[in-house]
Amino acid sequence: MRSQRQDRTVDVAVIGGGIAGASCAYHLAREGLGTVLVERETELGTHSTSRSAATLLPGYGGQENDELTEAGRPFFASSAEGMAEHPLLAPRELLWIYPREPEGANHDLPGTVPIDYEAALAMCPVLRPEAIDAVAWQAGVYDIDVDGLLRALVRGATHHGAEVLLASEAASLRRQRGYWLMEGGAEIRARVVVNAAGAWADELAERSGLAPVGFRALKRTAFVSPVSTGQQDMAMVVSADNSFYFKPDVGGLMLCSPADETPVAPGDPRPEEIDVAYTIDRINVHTTLQIRSVRRAWAGLRVFAADRRPVIRPHQDDATFIWCAGLGGTGVQTAPGAGQRVAEIVQGLFSSDW
Ligand SMILES: Cc1cc2nc3c(=O)[nH]c(=O)nc-3n(C[C@H](O)[C@H](O)[C@H](O)COP(=O)(O)OP(=O)(O)OC[C@H]3O[C@@H](n4cnc5c(N)ncnc54)[C@H](O)[C@@H]3O)c2cc1C
C-alpha cells in the first residue's frame, strides 16, 4: 500500500476504503479492470466497518439487503475465494425476546419461529423468563470475521493488480476529456468513479458537481462488558422492541448495544454514557448477566437513504459515477454482494458505447 504522491490513469477509482469500497475494488480488479482504492485515513476500515456488531442476520435490512447477502454467500462460503486465512462465518444462534415491559413489541417477525422457555434457556441460560413475554428463534445467523473479510478483500484486490492509496482524500472530482480527474492526496484520472464514501457519500457527490441522495447518518452505540456467566457459544439476543441486543464476544466479554438510531452529522461519533447505562439496565432486567462495568465503548454510523434501501447504481445525471452507499445496518454482510453488483454495472458500461 502506498501513500506517496504520484499521478495515475486507471479504469476505476473507488473512493472510500471501508468494507464496501474494498469489496468493489476486489470485484473490479478481479474482472481485469485497472482499479485504485482511495482512502482518506491512514488505515482501511476505521469508520463504520471496524465498529459493527459483526453479524450476518437475514431479513434485517429488507429484501434488497437479503438479495445482496444471498449474492455474497458463495464468496463467504469459499473463504473469500481462498484469500482468507480462516473461515469468515461462524454459526450463531439468535433469539428474539419480547419484553414484558413495556408492551408493544412487534410479534410478527418474518423468518422467526416461536420457541418455549426451556428451548430458549438451553440456547441462552441467562434469560429471565419472568421479564419476558415470549421468545422466537431465527435460523441462518452467523458471526462475521470483519477484519478477516476486509484483509481478504484487500489482499485479493492487490493480487489482481489494484492499487490501494491511504491518506489520500478525494478533495475534488471534475470531468476532463472523458475522465474523472481526482485531486487531493493523489492525482488520479479514472474513466469511472465508485462512490463508497460511507457517511460522506453525499459530500463526495457534491464535490463532483452531482446531486446528493439525501443520506442520513444514524449513530449506533456499542460496548463490551466482562461477564462471568456468559459462554462463548451462547445465543445472541435481540429485544423485539429494538431497545437492546447482546452477543458473546471473545475473552469473556459481552458485546452490547442499545440499538440506538440518533441522527448525527458525518464524522467520528462518540458513545454517550447515558446510552450505555440504559442498555446495562435493560440487559440486567432481562437476564442474570449482572453487568456492572464496561471494558470499551464506541459508536459508529449507519447510513441510510430515505427509503432505507441500499443505493447501488449509476448516478442519475452521470452514468460514470456509481453509488455504493447507504448500506445501513447490514453493510458488512452485504459487502461481497454489493461489490459484485458494482462490478457488473461497471462492466456493462465498459462494454457499451459511452
Ligand atoms: C454499532 C454498529 C453495529 C453494526 N452492526 C452490523 C452488523 O452486525 N452487520 C452488518 O452487516 N453491518 C453492521 N453495521 C453496519 C456496517 O458497519 C456498515 O454498513 C458498513 O461498515 C458500511 O461500510 P462502508 O464501507 O460503506 O462505510 P465506512 O466503513 O464508513 O467506509 C467509508 C470510508 O470512506 C472514506 N472516505 C469518505 N470520504 C472520502 C473521501 N472524500 N476521500 C477518501 N476517502 C473517503 C472514509 O474515511 C471511510 O473509511 C453496524 C454499524 C454500527 C455502527
mmCIF file with all atom_site columns, all heavy atoms in Angstrom, residues 16 18-20 39-40 47-49 51-55 170 197 220 300 328-333, ligand 1:
data_model
loop_
_atom_site.group_PDB
_atom_site.id
_atom_site.type_symbol
_atom_site.label_atom_id
_atom_site.label_alt_id
_atom_site.label_comp_id
_atom_site.label_asym_id
_atom_site.label_entity_id
_atom_site.label_seq_id
_atom_site.pdbx_PDB_ins_code
_atom_site.Cartn_x
_atom_site.Cartn_y
_atom_site.Cartn_z
_atom_site.occupancy
_atom_site.B_iso_or_equiv
_atom_site.pdbx_formal_charge
_atom_site.auth_seq_id
_atom_site.auth_comp_id
_atom_site.auth_asym_id
_atom_site.auth_atom_id
_atom_site.pdbx_PDB_model_num
ATOM   1   N N   . GLY A 1 16  ? -13.200 5.520   -0.918 1.00 0.00 ? 16  GLY A N   1
ATOM   2   C CA  . GLY A 1 16  ? -13.696 5.039   0.370  1.00 0.00 ? 16  GLY A CA  1
ATOM   3   C C   . GLY A 1 16  ? -13.189 3.642   0.657  1.00 0.00 ? 16  GLY A C   1
ATOM   4   O O   . GLY A 1 16  ? -13.588 2.685   -0.018 1.00 0.00 ? 16  GLY A O   1
ATOM   5   N N   . GLY A 1 18  ? -13.642 1.525   3.213  1.00 0.00 ? 18  GLY A N   1
ATOM   6   C CA  . GLY A 1 18  ? -14.342 0.675   4.170  1.00 0.00 ? 18  GLY A CA  1
ATOM   7   C C   . GLY A 1 18  ? -14.615 -0.670  3.503  1.00 0.00 ? 18  GLY A C   1
ATOM   8   O O   . GLY A 1 18  ? -14.035 -0.992  2.445  1.00 0.00 ? 18  GLY A O   1
ATOM   9   N N   . ILE A 1 19  ? -15.497 -1.459  4.121  1.00 0.00 ? 19  ILE A N   1
ATOM   10  C CA  . ILE A 1 19  ? -15.741 -2.801  3.596  1.00 0.00 ? 19  ILE A CA  1
ATOM   11  C C   . ILE A 1 19  ? -16.387 -2.735  2.206  1.00 0.00 ? 19  ILE A C   1
ATOM   12  O O   . ILE A 1 19  ? -16.117 -3.582  1.341  1.00 0.00 ? 19  ILE A O   1
ATOM   13  C CB  . ILE A 1 19  ? -16.605 -3.619  4.597  1.00 0.00 ? 19  ILE A CB  1
ATOM   14  C CG1 . ILE A 1 19  ? -16.464 -5.098  4.358  1.00 0.00 ? 19  ILE A CG1 1
ATOM   15  C CG2 . ILE A 1 19  ? -18.063 -3.188  4.595  1.00 0.00 ? 19  ILE A CG2 1
ATOM   16  C CD1 . ILE A 1 19  ? -15.217 -5.696  4.880  1.00 0.00 ? 19  ILE A CD1 1
ATOM   17  N N   . ALA A 1 20  ? -17.222 -1.705  1.965  1.00 0.00 ? 20  ALA A N   1
ATOM   18  C CA  . ALA A 1 20  ? -17.891 -1.586  0.664  1.00 0.00 ? 20  ALA A CA  1
ATOM   19  C C   . ALA A 1 20  ? -16.875 -1.279  -0.425 1.00 0.00 ? 20  ALA A C   1
ATOM   20  O O   . ALA A 1 20  ? -16.855 -1.931  -1.489 1.00 0.00 ? 20  ALA A O   1
ATOM   21  C CB  . ALA A 1 20  ? -18.972 -0.496  0.723  1.00 0.00 ? 20  ALA A CB  1
ATOM   22  N N   . GLU A 1 39  ? -8.402  5.954   0.057  1.00 0.00 ? 39  GLU A N   1
ATOM   23  C CA  . GLU A 1 39  ? -8.910  6.136   1.422  1.00 0.00 ? 39  GLU A CA  1
ATOM   24  C C   . GLU A 1 39  ? -8.227  7.339   2.067  1.00 0.00 ? 39  GLU A C   1
ATOM   25  O O   . GLU A 1 39  ? -7.007  7.474   2.021  1.00 0.00 ? 39  GLU A O   1
ATOM   26  C CB  . GLU A 1 39  ? -8.674  4.865   2.248  1.00 0.00 ? 39  GLU A CB  1
ATOM   27  C CG  . GLU A 1 39  ? -8.897  5.004   3.741  1.00 0.00 ? 39  GLU A CG  1
ATOM   28  C CD  . GLU A 1 39  ? -10.284 5.539   4.127  1.00 0.00 ? 39  GLU A CD  1
ATOM   29  O OE1 . GLU A 1 39  ? -11.284 5.070   3.560  1.00 0.00 ? 39  GLU A OE1 1
ATOM   30  O OE2 . GLU A 1 39  ? -10.346 6.435   4.991  1.00 0.00 ? 39  GLU A OE2 1
ATOM   31  N N   . ARG A 1 40  ? -9.058  8.159   2.709  1.00 0.00 ? 40  ARG A N   1
ATOM   32  C CA  . ARG A 1 40  ? -8.545  9.373   3.346  1.00 0.00 ? 40  ARG A CA  1
ATOM   33  C C   . ARG A 1 40  ? -7.702  9.092   4.591  1.00 0.00 ? 40  ARG A C   1
ATOM   34  O O   . ARG A 1 40  ? -6.718  9.768   4.868  1.00 0.00 ? 40  ARG A O   1
ATOM   35  C CB  . ARG A 1 40  ? -9.772  10.212  3.738  1.00 0.00 ? 40  ARG A CB  1
ATOM   36  C CG  . ARG A 1 40  ? -9.495  11.462  4.482  1.00 0.00 ? 40  ARG A CG  1
ATOM   37  C CD  . ARG A 1 40  ? -10.739 12.278  4.617  1.00 0.00 ? 40  ARG A CD  1
ATOM   38  N NE  . ARG A 1 40  ? -11.841 11.519  5.200  1.00 0.00 ? 40  ARG A NE  1
ATOM   39  C CZ  . ARG A 1 40  ? -13.116 11.867  5.106  1.00 0.00 ? 40  ARG A CZ  1
ATOM   40  N NH1 . ARG A 1 40  ? -13.468 12.917  4.412  1.00 0.00 ? 40  ARG A NH1 1
ATOM   41  N NH2 . ARG A 1 40  ? -14.051 11.158  5.679  1.00 0.00 ? 40  ARG A NH2 1
ATOM   42  N N   . HIS A 1 47  ? -13.745 3.570   9.971  1.00 0.00 ? 47  HIS A N   1
ATOM   43  C CA  . HIS A 1 47  ? -15.031 4.194   10.341 1.00 0.00 ? 47  HIS A CA  1
ATOM   44  C C   . HIS A 1 47  ? -16.079 3.105   10.612 1.00 0.00 ? 47  HIS A C   1
ATOM   45  O O   . HIS A 1 47  ? -15.824 2.214   11.419 1.00 0.00 ? 47  HIS A O   1
ATOM   46  C CB  . HIS A 1 47  ? -15.420 5.232   9.285  1.00 0.00 ? 47  HIS A CB  1
ATOM   47  C CG  . HIS A 1 47  ? -14.568 6.469   9.421  1.00 0.00 ? 47  HIS A CG  1
ATOM   48  N ND1 . HIS A 1 47  ? -14.786 7.408   10.388 1.00 0.00 ? 47  HIS A ND1 1
ATOM   49  C CD2 . HIS A 1 47  ? -13.452 6.869   8.760  1.00 0.00 ? 47  HIS A CD2 1
ATOM   50  C CE1 . HIS A 1 47  ? -13.864 8.357   10.323 1.00 0.00 ? 47  HIS A CE1 1
ATOM   51  N NE2 . HIS A 1 47  ? -13.035 8.055   9.336  1.00 0.00 ? 47  HIS A NE2 1
ATOM   52  N N   . SER A 1 48  ? -17.222 3.140   9.949  1.00 0.00 ? 48  SER A N   1
ATOM   53  C CA  . SER A 1 48  ? -18.294 2.190   10.297 1.00 0.00 ? 48  SER A CA  1
ATOM   54  C C   . SER A 1 48  ? -17.812 0.743   10.307 1.00 0.00 ? 48  SER A C   1
ATOM   55  O O   . SER A 1 48  ? -18.219 -0.058  11.171 1.00 0.00 ? 48  SER A O   1
ATOM   56  C CB  . SER A 1 48  ? -19.448 2.320   9.305  1.00 0.00 ? 48  SER A CB  1
ATOM   57  O OG  . SER A 1 48  ? -19.931 3.632   9.295  1.00 0.00 ? 48  SER A OG  1
ATOM   58  N N   . THR A 1 49  ? -16.957 0.394   9.379  1.00 0.00 ? 49  THR A N   1
ATOM   59  C CA  . THR A 1 49  ? -16.584 -1.011  9.187  1.00 0.00 ? 49  THR A CA  1
ATOM   60  C C   . THR A 1 49  ? -15.982 -1.649  10.430 1.00 0.00 ? 49  THR A C   1
ATOM   61  O O   . THR A 1 49  ? -16.274 -2.803  10.739 1.00 0.00 ? 49  THR A O   1
ATOM   62  C CB  . THR A 1 49  ? -15.623 -1.103  7.977  1.00 0.00 ? 49  THR A CB  1
ATOM   63  O OG1 . THR A 1 49  ? -16.356 -0.718  6.811  1.00 0.00 ? 49  THR A OG1 1
ATOM   64  C CG2 . THR A 1 49  ? -15.047 -2.490  7.800  1.00 0.00 ? 49  THR A CG2 1
ATOM   65  N N   . ARG A 1 51  ? -16.577 -0.860  13.442 1.00 0.00 ? 51  ARG A N   1
ATOM   66  C CA  . ARG A 1 51  ? -17.381 -0.599  14.647 1.00 0.00 ? 51  ARG A CA  1
ATOM   67  C C   . ARG A 1 51  ? -18.654 -1.443  14.686 1.00 0.00 ? 51  ARG A C   1
ATOM   68  O O   . ARG A 1 51  ? -19.560 -1.187  15.472 1.00 0.00 ? 51  ARG A O   1
ATOM   69  C CB  . ARG A 1 51  ? -17.734 0.891   14.690 1.00 0.00 ? 51  ARG A CB  1
ATOM   70  C CG  . ARG A 1 51  ? -16.478 1.749   14.575 1.00 0.00 ? 51  ARG A CG  1
ATOM   71  C CD  . ARG A 1 51  ? -16.773 3.221   14.528 1.00 0.00 ? 51  ARG A CD  1
ATOM   72  N NE  . ARG A 1 51  ? -15.569 3.955   14.125 1.00 0.00 ? 51  ARG A NE  1
ATOM   73  C CZ  . ARG A 1 51  ? -15.331 5.213   14.408 1.00 0.00 ? 51  ARG A CZ  1
ATOM   74  N NH1 . ARG A 1 51  ? -16.205 5.896   15.118 1.00 0.00 ? 51  ARG A NH1 1
ATOM   75  N NH2 . ARG A 1 51  ? -14.240 5.804   13.997 1.00 0.00 ? 51  ARG A NH2 1
ATOM   76  N N   . SER A 1 52  ? -18.756 -2.425  13.812 1.00 0.00 ? 52  SER A N   1
ATOM   77  C CA  . SER A 1 52  ? -20.017 -3.161  13.680 1.00 0.00 ? 52  SER A CA  1
ATOM   78  C C   . SER A 1 52  ? -20.140 -4.260  14.726 1.00 0.00 ? 52  SER A C   1
ATOM   79  O O   . SER A 1 52  ? -19.189 -4.581  15.439 1.00 0.00 ? 52  SER A O   1
ATOM   80  C CB  . SER A 1 52  ? -20.127 -3.773  12.286 1.00 0.00 ? 52  SER A CB  1
ATOM   81  O OG  . SER A 1 52  ? -19.542 -5.053  12.270 1.00 0.00 ? 52  SER A OG  1
ATOM   82  N N   . ALA A 1 53  ? -21.316 -4.865  14.761 1.00 0.00 ? 53  ALA A N   1
ATOM   83  C CA  . ALA A 1 53  ? -21.565 -5.996  15.655 1.00 0.00 ? 53  ALA A CA  1
ATOM   84  C C   . ALA A 1 53  ? -21.211 -7.313  14.963 1.00 0.00 ? 53  ALA A C   1
ATOM   85  O O   . ALA A 1 53  ? -21.440 -8.391  15.528 1.00 0.00 ? 53  ALA A O   1
ATOM   86  C CB  . ALA A 1 53  ? -23.014 -5.998  16.112 1.00 0.00 ? 53  ALA A CB  1
ATOM   87  N N   . ALA A 1 54  ? -20.724 -7.238  13.731 1.00 0.00 ? 54  ALA A N   1
ATOM   88  C CA  . ALA A 1 54  ? -20.142 -8.401  13.047 1.00 0.00 ? 54  ALA A CA  1
ATOM   89  C C   . ALA A 1 54  ? -21.106 -9.576  12.933 1.00 0.00 ? 54  ALA A C   1
ATOM   90  O O   . ALA A 1 54  ? -20.735 -10.719 13.170 1.00 0.00 ? 54  ALA A O   1
ATOM   91  C CB  . ALA A 1 54  ? -18.852 -8.825  13.755 1.00 0.00 ? 54  ALA A CB  1
ATOM   92  N N   . THR A 1 55  ? -22.334 -9.287  12.558 1.00 0.00 ? 55  THR A N   1
ATOM   93  C CA  . THR A 1 55  ? -23.345 -10.340 12.476 1.00 0.00 ? 55  THR A CA  1
ATOM   94  C C   . THR A 1 55  ? -23.981 -10.370 11.093 1.00 0.00 ? 55  THR A C   1
ATOM   95  O O   . THR A 1 55  ? -24.245 -9.310  10.517 1.00 0.00 ? 55  THR A O   1
ATOM   96  C CB  . THR A 1 55  ? -24.449 -10.087 13.523 1.00 0.00 ? 55  THR A CB  1
ATOM   97  O OG1 . THR A 1 55  ? -23.839 -9.977  14.808 1.00 0.00 ? 55  THR A OG1 1
ATOM   98  C CG2 . THR A 1 55  ? -25.479 -11.210 13.551 1.00 0.00 ? 55  THR A CG2 1
ATOM   99  N N   . ALA A 1 170 ? -10.155 12.259  -1.617 1.00 0.00 ? 170 ALA A N   1
ATOM   100 C CA  . ALA A 1 170 ? -10.702 12.790  -2.869 1.00 0.00 ? 170 ALA A CA  1
ATOM   101 C C   . ALA A 1 170 ? -11.274 14.167  -2.531 1.00 0.00 ? 170 ALA A C   1
ATOM   102 O O   . ALA A 1 170 ? -12.420 14.284  -2.105 1.00 0.00 ? 170 ALA A O   1
ATOM   103 C CB  . ALA A 1 170 ? -11.776 11.861  -3.414 1.00 0.00 ? 170 ALA A CB  1
ATOM   104 N N   . ALA A 1 197 ? -18.053 6.117   -0.159 1.00 0.00 ? 197 ALA A N   1
ATOM   105 C CA  . ALA A 1 197 ? -17.536 7.007   0.887  1.00 0.00 ? 197 ALA A CA  1
ATOM   106 C C   . ALA A 1 197 ? -18.371 6.979   2.162  1.00 0.00 ? 197 ALA A C   1
ATOM   107 O O   . ALA A 1 197 ? -18.249 7.878   3.008  1.00 0.00 ? 197 ALA A O   1
ATOM   108 C CB  . ALA A 1 197 ? -17.406 8.426   0.349  1.00 0.00 ? 197 ALA A CB  1
ATOM   109 N N   . ARG A 1 220 ? -24.968 4.659   16.128 1.00 0.00 ? 220 ARG A N   1
ATOM   110 C CA  . ARG A 1 220 ? -25.297 3.475   16.941 1.00 0.00 ? 220 ARG A CA  1
ATOM   111 C C   . ARG A 1 220 ? -24.159 3.221   17.917 1.00 0.00 ? 220 ARG A C   1
ATOM   112 O O   . ARG A 1 220 ? -22.992 3.239   17.552 1.00 0.00 ? 220 ARG A O   1
ATOM   113 C CB  . ARG A 1 220 ? -25.548 2.250   16.077 1.00 0.00 ? 220 ARG A CB  1
ATOM   114 C CG  . ARG A 1 220 ? -25.762 0.993   16.920 1.00 0.00 ? 220 ARG A CG  1
ATOM   115 C CD  . ARG A 1 220 ? -26.648 -0.014  16.284 1.00 0.00 ? 220 ARG A CD  1
ATOM   116 N NE  . ARG A 1 220 ? -28.039 0.438   16.146 1.00 0.00 ? 220 ARG A NE  1
ATOM   117 C CZ  . ARG A 1 220 ? -29.036 -0.346  15.751 1.00 0.00 ? 220 ARG A CZ  1
ATOM   118 N NH1 . ARG A 1 220 ? -28.809 -1.594  15.466 1.00 0.00 ? 220 ARG A NH1 1
ATOM   119 N NH2 . ARG A 1 220 ? -30.252 0.134   15.635 1.00 0.00 ? 220 ARG A NH2 1
ATOM   120 N N   . GLY A 1 300 ? -20.690 4.224   16.106 1.00 0.00 ? 300 GLY A N   1
ATOM   121 C CA  . GLY A 1 300 ? -20.405 4.260   14.670 1.00 0.00 ? 300 GLY A CA  1
ATOM   122 C C   . GLY A 1 300 ? -21.636 4.718   13.924 1.00 0.00 ? 300 GLY A C   1
ATOM   123 O O   . GLY A 1 300 ? -22.715 4.904   14.510 1.00 0.00 ? 300 GLY A O   1
ATOM   124 N N   . GLY A 1 328 ? -26.627 1.014   5.435  1.00 0.00 ? 328 GLY A N   1
ATOM   125 C CA  . GLY A 1 328 ? -27.386 0.918   6.682  1.00 0.00 ? 328 GLY A CA  1
ATOM   126 C C   . GLY A 1 328 ? -26.733 0.026   7.724  1.00 0.00 ? 328 GLY A C   1
ATOM   127 O O   . GLY A 1 328 ? -25.534 0.113   7.992  1.00 0.00 ? 328 GLY A O   1
ATOM   128 N N   . GLY A 1 329 ? -27.550 -0.867  8.296  1.00 0.00 ? 329 GLY A N   1
ATOM   129 C CA  . GLY A 1 329 ? -27.082 -1.732  9.370  1.00 0.00 ? 329 GLY A CA  1
ATOM   130 C C   . GLY A 1 329 ? -26.625 -3.087  8.886  1.00 0.00 ? 329 GLY A C   1
ATOM   131 O O   . GLY A 1 329 ? -26.428 -4.017  9.679  1.00 0.00 ? 329 GLY A O   1
ATOM   132 N N   . THR A 1 330 ? -26.455 -3.230  7.561  1.00 0.00 ? 330 THR A N   1
ATOM   133 C CA  . THR A 1 330 ? -26.081 -4.547  7.014  1.00 0.00 ? 330 THR A CA  1
ATOM   134 C C   . THR A 1 330 ? -24.922 -4.432  6.012  1.00 0.00 ? 330 THR A C   1
ATOM   135 O O   . THR A 1 330 ? -24.765 -5.293  5.149  1.00 0.00 ? 330 THR A O   1
ATOM   136 C CB  . THR A 1 330 ? -27.288 -5.206  6.307  1.00 0.00 ? 330 THR A CB  1
ATOM   137 O OG1 . THR A 1 330 ? -27.813 -4.272  5.360  1.00 0.00 ? 330 THR A OG1 1
ATOM   138 C CG2 . THR A 1 330 ? -28.373 -5.609  7.271  1.00 0.00 ? 330 THR A CG2 1
ATOM   139 N N   . GLY A 1 331 ? -24.133 -3.382  6.156  1.00 0.00 ? 331 GLY A N   1
ATOM   140 C CA  . GLY A 1 331 ? -23.091 -3.128  5.154  1.00 0.00 ? 331 GLY A CA  1
ATOM   141 C C   . GLY A 1 331 ? -21.983 -4.153  5.135  1.00 0.00 ? 331 GLY A C   1
ATOM   142 O O   . GLY A 1 331 ? -21.331 -4.332  4.102  1.00 0.00 ? 331 GLY A O   1
ATOM   143 N N   . VAL A 1 332 ? -21.764 -4.845  6.255  1.00 0.00 ? 332 VAL A N   1
ATOM   144 C CA  . VAL A 1 332 ? -20.716 -5.867  6.250  1.00 0.00 ? 332 VAL A CA  1
ATOM   145 C C   . VAL A 1 332 ? -21.249 -7.135  5.570  1.00 0.00 ? 332 VAL A C   1
ATOM   146 O O   . VAL A 1 332 ? -20.613 -7.675  4.660  1.00 0.00 ? 332 VAL A O   1
ATOM   147 C CB  . VAL A 1 332 ? -20.229 -6.172  7.681  1.00 0.00 ? 332 VAL A CB  1
ATOM   148 C CG1 . VAL A 1 332 ? -19.173 -7.263  7.651  1.00 0.00 ? 332 VAL A CG1 1
ATOM   149 C CG2 . VAL A 1 332 ? -19.679 -4.911  8.349  1.00 0.00 ? 332 VAL A CG2 1
ATOM   150 N N   . GLN A 1 333 ? -22.429 -7.559  5.983  1.00 0.00 ? 333 GLN A N   1
ATOM   151 C CA  . GLN A 1 333 ? -22.947 -8.805  5.418  1.00 0.00 ? 333 GLN A CA  1
ATOM   152 C C   . GLN A 1 333 ? -23.259 -8.675  3.925  1.00 0.00 ? 333 GLN A C   1
ATOM   153 O O   . GLN A 1 333 ? -23.202 -9.655  3.183  1.00 0.00 ? 333 GLN A O   1
ATOM   154 C CB  . GLN A 1 333 ? -24.183 -9.288  6.187  1.00 0.00 ? 333 GLN A CB  1
ATOM   155 C CG  . GLN A 1 333 ? -25.456 -8.486  5.973  1.00 0.00 ? 333 GLN A CG  1
ATOM   156 C CD  . GLN A 1 333 ? -26.631 -9.059  6.759  1.00 0.00 ? 333 GLN A CD  1
ATOM   157 O OE1 . GLN A 1 333 ? -26.540 -9.263  7.956  1.00 0.00 ? 333 GLN A OE1 1
ATOM   158 N NE2 . GLN A 1 333 ? -27.738 -9.321  6.081  1.00 0.00 ? 333 GLN A NE2 1
HETATM 159 C C1  . LIG B 2 .   ? -22.661 -0.298  16.111 1.00 0.00 ? 1   LIG B C1  1
HETATM 160 C C2  . LIG B 2 .   ? -22.844 -0.822  14.704 1.00 0.00 ? 1   LIG B C2  1
HETATM 161 C C3  . LIG B 2 .   ? -23.202 -2.143  14.519 1.00 0.00 ? 1   LIG B C3  1
HETATM 162 C C4  . LIG B 2 .   ? -23.309 -2.658  13.232 1.00 0.00 ? 1   LIG B C4  1
HETATM 163 N N1  . LIG B 2 .   ? -23.550 -3.997  13.101 1.00 0.00 ? 1   LIG B N1  1
HETATM 164 C C5  . LIG B 2 .   ? -23.548 -4.550  11.866 1.00 0.00 ? 1   LIG B C5  1
HETATM 165 C C6  . LIG B 2 .   ? -23.694 -5.948  11.708 1.00 0.00 ? 1   LIG B C6  1
HETATM 166 O O1  . LIG B 2 .   ? -23.800 -6.682  12.699 1.00 0.00 ? 1   LIG B O1  1
HETATM 167 N N2  . LIG B 2 .   ? -23.690 -6.474  10.454 1.00 0.00 ? 1   LIG B N2  1
HETATM 168 C C7  . LIG B 2 .   ? -23.531 -5.688  9.334  1.00 0.00 ? 1   LIG B C7  1
HETATM 169 O O2  . LIG B 2 .   ? -23.535 -6.215  8.215  1.00 0.00 ? 1   LIG B O2  1
HETATM 170 N N3  . LIG B 2 .   ? -23.399 -4.341  9.466  1.00 0.00 ? 1   LIG B N3  1
HETATM 171 C C8  . LIG B 2 .   ? -23.397 -3.758  10.681 1.00 0.00 ? 1   LIG B C8  1
HETATM 172 N N4  . LIG B 2 .   ? -23.249 -2.409  10.828 1.00 0.00 ? 1   LIG B N4  1
HETATM 173 C C9  . LIG B 2 .   ? -23.219 -1.575  9.617  1.00 0.00 ? 1   LIG B C9  1
HETATM 174 C C10 . LIG B 2 .   ? -21.871 -1.616  8.928  1.00 0.00 ? 1   LIG B C10 1
HETATM 175 O O3  . LIG B 2 .   ? -20.834 -1.381  9.862  1.00 0.00 ? 1   LIG B O3  1
HETATM 176 C C11 . LIG B 2 .   ? -21.843 -0.571  7.818  1.00 0.00 ? 1   LIG B C11 1
HETATM 177 O O4  . LIG B 2 .   ? -22.983 -0.705  6.983  1.00 0.00 ? 1   LIG B O4  1
HETATM 178 C C12 . LIG B 2 .   ? -20.608 -0.735  6.935  1.00 0.00 ? 1   LIG B C12 1
HETATM 179 O O5  . LIG B 2 .   ? -19.434 -0.773  7.703  1.00 0.00 ? 1   LIG B O5  1
HETATM 180 C C13 . LIG B 2 .   ? -20.523 0.410   5.927  1.00 0.00 ? 1   LIG B C13 1
HETATM 181 O O6  . LIG B 2 .   ? -19.308 0.269   5.230  1.00 0.00 ? 1   LIG B O6  1
HETATM 182 P P1  . LIG B 2 .   ? -18.829 1.400   4.239  1.00 0.00 ? 1   LIG B P1  1
HETATM 183 O O7  . LIG B 2 .   ? -17.605 0.889   3.581  1.00 0.00 ? 1   LIG B O7  1
HETATM 184 O O8  . LIG B 2 .   ? -19.970 1.842   3.392  1.00 0.00 ? 1   LIG B O8  1
HETATM 185 O O9  . LIG B 2 .   ? -18.508 2.666   5.178  1.00 0.00 ? 1   LIG B O9  1
HETATM 186 P P2  . LIG B 2 .   ? -17.201 3.026   6.044  1.00 0.00 ? 1   LIG B P2  1
HETATM 187 O O10 . LIG B 2 .   ? -16.658 1.845   6.738  1.00 0.00 ? 1   LIG B O10 1
HETATM 188 O O11 . LIG B 2 .   ? -17.564 4.203   6.885  1.00 0.00 ? 1   LIG B O11 1
HETATM 189 O O12 . LIG B 2 .   ? -16.143 3.452   4.942  1.00 0.00 ? 1   LIG B O12 1
HETATM 190 C C14 . LIG B 2 .   ? -16.248 4.660   4.213  1.00 0.00 ? 1   LIG B C14 1
HETATM 191 C C15 . LIG B 2 .   ? -14.827 5.184   4.040  1.00 0.00 ? 1   LIG B C15 1
HETATM 192 O O13 . LIG B 2 .   ? -14.815 6.270   3.101  1.00 0.00 ? 1   LIG B O13 1
HETATM 193 C C16 . LIG B 2 .   ? -13.765 7.129   3.465  1.00 0.00 ? 1   LIG B C16 1
HETATM 194 N N5  . LIG B 2 .   ? -13.977 8.419   2.797  1.00 0.00 ? 1   LIG B N5  1
HETATM 195 C C17 . LIG B 2 .   ? -15.056 9.227   2.907  1.00 0.00 ? 1   LIG B C17 1
HETATM 196 N N6  . LIG B 2 .   ? -14.917 10.309  2.118  1.00 0.00 ? 1   LIG B N6  1
HETATM 197 C C18 . LIG B 2 .   ? -13.723 10.173  1.469  1.00 0.00 ? 1   LIG B C18 1
HETATM 198 C C19 . LIG B 2 .   ? -13.018 10.964  0.516  1.00 0.00 ? 1   LIG B C19 1
HETATM 199 N N7  . LIG B 2 .   ? -13.526 12.125  0.043  1.00 0.00 ? 1   LIG B N7  1
HETATM 200 N N8  . LIG B 2 .   ? -11.805 10.529  0.086  1.00 0.00 ? 1   LIG B N8  1
HETATM 201 C C20 . LIG B 2 .   ? -11.277 9.353   0.539  1.00 0.00 ? 1   LIG B C20 1
HETATM 202 N N9  . LIG B 2 .   ? -11.910 8.569   1.457  1.00 0.00 ? 1   LIG B N9  1
HETATM 203 C C21 . LIG B 2 .   ? -13.117 8.972   1.912  1.00 0.00 ? 1   LIG B C21 1
HETATM 204 C C22 . LIG B 2 .   ? -13.887 7.178   4.986  1.00 0.00 ? 1   LIG B C22 1
HETATM 205 O O14 . LIG B 2 .   ? -12.687 7.626   5.594  1.00 0.00 ? 1   LIG B O14 1
HETATM 206 C C23 . LIG B 2 .   ? -14.234 5.733   5.328  1.00 0.00 ? 1   LIG B C23 1
HETATM 207 O O15 . LIG B 2 .   ? -13.066 4.988   5.673  1.00 0.00 ? 1   LIG B O15 1
HETATM 208 C C24 . LIG B 2 .   ? -23.120 -1.832  12.102 1.00 0.00 ? 1   LIG B C24 1
HETATM 209 C C25 . LIG B 2 .   ? -22.784 -0.500  12.279 1.00 0.00 ? 1   LIG B C25 1
HETATM 210 C C26 . LIG B 2 .   ? -22.628 0.015   13.566 1.00 0.00 ? 1   LIG B C26 1
HETATM 211 C C27 . LIG B 2 .   ? -22.218 1.448   13.730 1.00 0.00 ? 1   LIG B C27 1
#
